Amino acid sequence: MNTDISLTIEFIRHTYKTNAFIPLHAPQFDDRESKLVNETINSSFVSSIGKFVTQFEQDIQSYLSSNSAVAMVNGTAALQSALYLAGVGVGDLVITQSLTFVATCNTIHHLGATPIFIDVSKEHLSLCPRALENYLNQHAELCDDGICRNKNSGQTIKAFVPMHTFGHPAELDKLLVISQQWNIPLIEDAAESLGSTYEGKHTGTFGRFAAISFNGNKIITTGGGGILICHDQADAAYAHHINTTAKVAHPFEFYHDAYGFNNRLPNLNAALGCAQMEKLDNYVKAKRRLASQYQSFFASSRFDFVTEPSNCRSNYWLNAILLPDPALREEFLVKTNEANVMTRPVWQLMHSLPLFQHAERDEQRNASWLAKRLINLPSSPVLKAD
Ligand SMILES: *Cc1c(COP(=O)(O)O)cnc(C)c1O
């Protein structure tokens, strides 16, 4: 076996101090999670009404210093809600990156809109402001009615959605300028980046909307869950309303004033989330410590460790390396997984899936380069005993 690969396996086993299977990312619970979940069961408030839902929203809000937070059944629902509130509908266009998890694009599709794939930058692994500007300059126009349209089709470009890949923040200052110049709302897919900051400010608080995921593999989990962050309080109030069937408050009458959804996070899940939020700072610390151990280790190998972009502090949700060539990457994936150390390639690019192959896109030079070389490594936080 290639010595860099066997040394990597040895290093990971040494770091996690186990001979058993090492997953990519496993949640960690102790008595605190059991206590709060049991409290919910004993209270009988297990569904979407209960004190933990409100507390969890407040915990996230104060952690992010955001104006609002609306807890949802999962990150996908939160993102779909964000797009819906931004007015994305049938026939619209939404700009995003091809290097993302399929959920980003599914939400666009389910609203009847079509994605446009713009390249990522190699440093941020996220929507590249230069590529975005190139596209808009060539193919879009800001019309007199304030709406940005595709010059060819006349379709409205309703939003753009950068995704903070593996927790590394996008180039948010430049993206915000473009958002203002072209009057296109910025929606952050911050599913992976809870705890990451860009110039000291939390990801998820830059766009008009953002979605964060609490799936079992994310930095904290509620089992399944997500949260919608809105810049404007009025948007948050409406999001809350339509995600609880748009029922108008009344002691006994059922009156609904919009086509609602039922996407609120149950109290049972929120209880788990409240316990996890108490540990988030520790997780971020532990994950950054692990990342710096990986970084030192890979300094003397042929594999390049992916570090946080400048001016950013990443939660290092998933650690990643770049392999020099696709053949060696294949060998790395096979050998590590055979050795019970879980690794995986980055997602296949969305434009290469039959689902999205007809979507408009630019050259995807960086995304294609990255997609052939990226590998994710085990990234569960290694918590120090007290
Ligand atoms: C996890 C994830 C989602 C979806 O979150 P769920 O809670 O699993 O629905 C969306 N986008 C990205 C980039 C993700 O990593």
Side-chain angles (χ1 to χ4, degrees):
M1 191 189 324
N2 177 297
T3 51
D4 279 328
I5 299 178
S6 50
L7 286 173
T8 304
I9 293 172
E10 214 173 283
F11 172 75
I12 294 172
R13 287 229 166 271
H14 175 77
T15 305
Y16 282 97
K17 299 185 177 50
T18 176
N19 291 318
F21 171 73
I22 301 175
L24 208 58
H25 205 287
Q28 311 206 18
F29 307 124
D30 57 31
D31 294 349
R32 186 66 182 154
E33 279 81 2
S34 315
K35 181 171 180 289
L36 296 194
V37 171
N38 270 320
E39 202 181 309
T40 318
I41 294 168
N42 294 332
S43 77
S44 86
F45 285 94
V46 291
S47 293
S48 52
I49 294 173
K51 68 169 193 181
F52 287 117
V53 180
T54 318
Q55 191 193 318
F56 184 58
E57 289 176 338
Q58 279 163 0
D59 288 352
I60 292 282
Q61 216 173 300
S62 70
Y63 180 80
L64 298 177
S65 304
S66 70
N67 295 332
S68 72
V70 184
M72 308 276 286
V73 282
N74 54 50
T76 307
L79 189 59
Q80 190 154 335
S81 208
L83 292 164
Y84 181 79
L85 291 168
V88 174
V90 175
D92 289 331
L93 299 169
V94 175
I95 293 174
T96 190
Q97 55 204 68
S98 188
L99 185 89
T100 187
F101 178 55
V102 71
T104 316
C105 303
N106 283 339
T107 59
I108 297 168
H109 173 82
H110 286 309
L111 290 168
T114 313
I116 299 173
F117 296 117
I118 300 300
D119 205 5
V120 295
S121 76
K122 279 189 187 170
E123 188 191 1
H124 290 257
L125 309 178
S126 178
L127 200 61
C128 171
R130 286 148 310 272
L132 179 58
E133 254 181 337
N134 278 344
Y135 174 83
L136 292 170
N137 283 330
Q138 280 177 44
H139 301 286
E141 64 181 333
L142 186 56
C143 305
D144 291 340
D145 56 4
I147 293 173
C148 182
R149 292 188 174 84
N150 180 292
K151 275 196 263 192
N152 272 338
S153 65
Q155 288 169 287
T156 303
I157 303 175
K158 269 286 166 65
F160 66 93
V161 186
M163 194 279 277
H164 305 300
T165 309
F166 310 148
H168 300 307
E171 238 172 307
L172 285 160
D173 57 347
K174 297 208 175 75
L175 293 175
L176 270 178
V177 171
I178 297 172
S179 164
Q180 278 151 12
Q181 268 174 356
W182 289 87
N183 199 26
I184 309 172
L186 168 62
I187 297 176
E188 300 173 67
D189 184 342
E192 306 179 352
S193 67
L194 178 64
S196 301
T197 60
Y198 179 88
E199 288 179 352
K201 191 169 170 296
H202 279 280
T203 57
T205 62
F206 286 81
R208 179 165 168 209
F209 301 101
I212 300 172
S213 166
F214 309 113
N215 189 32
N217 64 348
K218 297 299 198 307
I219 185 163
I220 64 160
T221 186
T222 57
I227 209 157
L228 169 70
I229 308 297
C230 307
H231 186 270
D232 297 328
Q233 234 124 41
D235 283 335
Y238 190 63
H240 185 286
H241 179 63
I242 59 165
N243 281 299
T244 45
T245 71
K247 183 180 179 295
V248 176
H250 188 280
F252 46 82
E253 292 293 348
F254 283 89
Y255 183 78
H256 308 265
D257 64 359
Y259 297 105
F261 302 89
N262 179 21
N263 281 336
R264 288 279 280 159
L265 184 72
N267 202 37
L268 199 58
N269 300 80
L272 197 59
C274 289
Q276 290 266 286
M277 272 307 281
E278 293 170 8
K279 300 165 178 178
L280 177 56
D281 280 335
N282 257 348
Y283 290 174
V284 173
K285 233 181 268 169
K287 287 171 73 61
R288 290 182 58 80
R289 188 167 56 228
L290 174 64
S292 92
Q293 287 166 345
Y294 270 130
Q295 188 176 356
S296 323
F297 170 76
F298 286 113
S300 56
S301 109
R302 282 202 300 144
F303 310 150
D304 279 339
F305 182 71
V306 176
T307 55
E308 63 196 352
S310 51
N311 304 327
C312 297
R313 184 172 171 278
S314 176
N315 69 359
Y316 282 97
W317 171 56
L318 284 188
N319 291 287
I321 49 172
L322 285 162
L323 269 69
D325 63 80
L328 187 53
R329 181 173 81 160
E330 190 62 24
E331 188 186 350
F332 188 101
L333 287 167
V334 170
K335 291 288 163 30
T336 48
N337 283 292
E338 270 175 9
N340 262 336
V341 172
M342 185 174 173
T343 63
R344 65 171 197 205
V346 70
W347 318 280
Q348 286 199 26
L349 295 178
M350 290 302 113
H351 73 262
S352 73
L353 299 179
L355 300 172
F356 299 109
Q357 66 183 348
H358 300 299
E360 191 178 348
R361 61 183 153 91
D362 64 9
E363 277 184 60
Q364 300 292 316
R365 219 176 300 152
N366 292 336
S368 305
W369 189 90
L370 289 162
K372 283 187 220 129
R373 291 171 177 80
L374 273 174
I375 279 188
N376 288 125
L377 303 171
S379 299
S380 309
V382 183
L383 301 173
K384 284 204 173 131
D386 295 325

